[in-house]
Amino acid sequence: MLTNFFTRNHIVLKKGKNLHIFFHLFINKLLLLKLQLYKKIHRINHPIVHYYAVCWNEEKILPFMFDHYKRFVNHFTIYDNRSTDHSINIIRSRTDTTLVEFDSDGFCDNNHNEIKNNCWKKSRGHADFVIVCDMDEFLYHPDIKNKLAELKHNHISVVKPVGYDMYCDIYPDYQPGSLLSEQIPNGVRATLFDKCILFDPHSVVEINYKPGAHECHPWGKIKTTADSDIKLLHYKNLGIDWLLERNRLYVQRLSKDNIENEYGIQYLKSEDIITADFQANLQQAKKVTE
């Protein structure tokens, strides 16, 4: 009797999921036609890309991020979680960026996850691809514009890049026009950062990120690629002083929800262990950008 109950509920849930996907793919098709008409009228031949990220006190990485992504991103939307540095001023100074302010109970992965699972949906009818990531995650390809056009031509809906943790001795000085991928080209392979941050908002109905967005289970018309030429460069380890300072701040901001669910527990490692891991990886890091 109990088995039959669960079986019936599973069938109902599956039917509900399929109806959800079917309905939204139909709506998304109409929105895609709207986008195609817009591009035809304005003679836009390249993929339009929108970027979404959460921010908290990122004034040092923001200029690097904008310089890196503005080469192929058409519009940025930044969700700021009560920054107390100059992050908001930097964001507001840009005409290609929308600022959305929100407040959470410290650093809360579940809150961030809710944003990442839904923020990009507003790009339907407006963008061919969306990028949903953290501020220190840089999508990289030596010829990114042509690669995006190739992905679009091949109807790739979800891209899984190859992840790397990038390393350097000391935090770099910002130099306008000098890309971070050029200043810091060395990294170590990090499968944790094989994150599906690039996808087509019309083919994907739900991206279904897990907390931290290291894992997702997308619904929709899904065609994936694991192209080794497309990399995700994680610029967190920019000098041991910077790394330790950020870790201390994150430890102070970990929400009760994070602690209970053991999210972000990497920040609770001892500084001796963090330093030893950093030095070992710094020595092993090899050039991964061209």
Side-chain angles (χ1 to χ4, degrees), residues 6 20 28 82 109 166 190 200 225 241:
F6 284 116
H20 178 79
N28 290 354
R82 294 283 187 172
D109 268 295
M166 309 302 285
D200 172 3
T225 181
D241 292 338

Side-chain angles (χ1 to χ4, degrees), residues 2 9 14 20 43 45 68 73 82 88 102 108 112 114 128 135 154 199 216 221 237 248 262 286-287 290:
L2 191 60
N9 276 273
K14 187 174 182 180
H20 178 79
R43 298 181 180 180
N45 298 317
H68 177 85
V73 165
R82 294 283 187 172
I88 290 180
F102 75 101
C108 181
H112 292 186
E114 179 70 18
D128 297 287
M135 201 67 67
N154 292 330
F199 55 94
C216 67
K221 189 177 180 181
N237 301 284
R248 292 175 196 133
E262 297 187 347
K286 297 180 180 179
K287 187 174 182 181
E290 298 180 16

Side-chain angles (χ1 to χ4, degrees), residues 11-55:
I11 293 171
V12 170
L13 288 172
K14 187 174 182 180
K15 285 183 178 179
K17 171 185 172 181
N18 290 339
L19 285 172
H20 178 79
I21 293 171
F22 178 81
F23 173 76
H24 283 282
L25 283 178
F26 175 75
I27 299 299
N28 290 354
K29 181 64 176 179
L30 298 179
L31 292 171
L32 178 59
L33 291 173
K34 171 189 172 183
L35 172 62
Q36 291 171 342
L37 178 61
Y38 172 85
K39 292 177 69 175
K40 183 176 182 180
I41 292 172
H42 294 275
R43 298 181 180 180
I44 299 173
N45 298 317
H46 58 82
I48 295 176
V49 183
H50 288 178
Y51 171 100
Y52 295 88
V54 173
C55 174

Side-chain angles (χ1 to χ4, degrees), residues 47-51 72-75 126-131 148 198:
I48 295 176
V49 183
H50 288 178
Y51 171 100
F72 58 96
V73 165
N74 299 85
H75 190 80
H126 302 284
D128 297 287
F129 288 108
V130 294
I131 295 170
L148 289 169
L198 175 70

Side-chain angles (χ1 to χ4, degrees), residues 221-285:
K221 189 177 180 181
I222 308 303
K223 183 180 180 182
T224 64
T225 181
D227 192 324
S228 61
D229 290 336
I230 305 174
K231 300 172 182 176
L232 183 56
L233 312 180
H234 182 217
Y235 283 105
K236 174 186 176 181
N237 301 284
L238 303 182
I240 188 59
D241 292 338
W242 168 255
L243 179 62
L244 292 177
E245 178 186 347
R246 290 296 284 185
N247 264 43
R248 292 175 196 133
L249 292 173
Y250 279 127
V251 168
Q252 294 172 13
R253 293 191 77 241
L254 283 179
S255 66
K256 180 180 178 181
D257 186 63
N258 262 48
I259 294 171
E260 289 178 351
N261 289 287
E262 297 187 347
Y263 299 149
I265 57 174
Q266 68 271 20
Y267 301 117
L268 301 177
K269 289 182 181 179
S270 75
E271 294 196 353
D272 287 342
I273 292 176
I274 293 172
T275 300
D277 288 344
F278 175 90
Q279 295 298 341
N281 286 322
L282 180 64
Q283 294 300 316
Q284 295 175 15

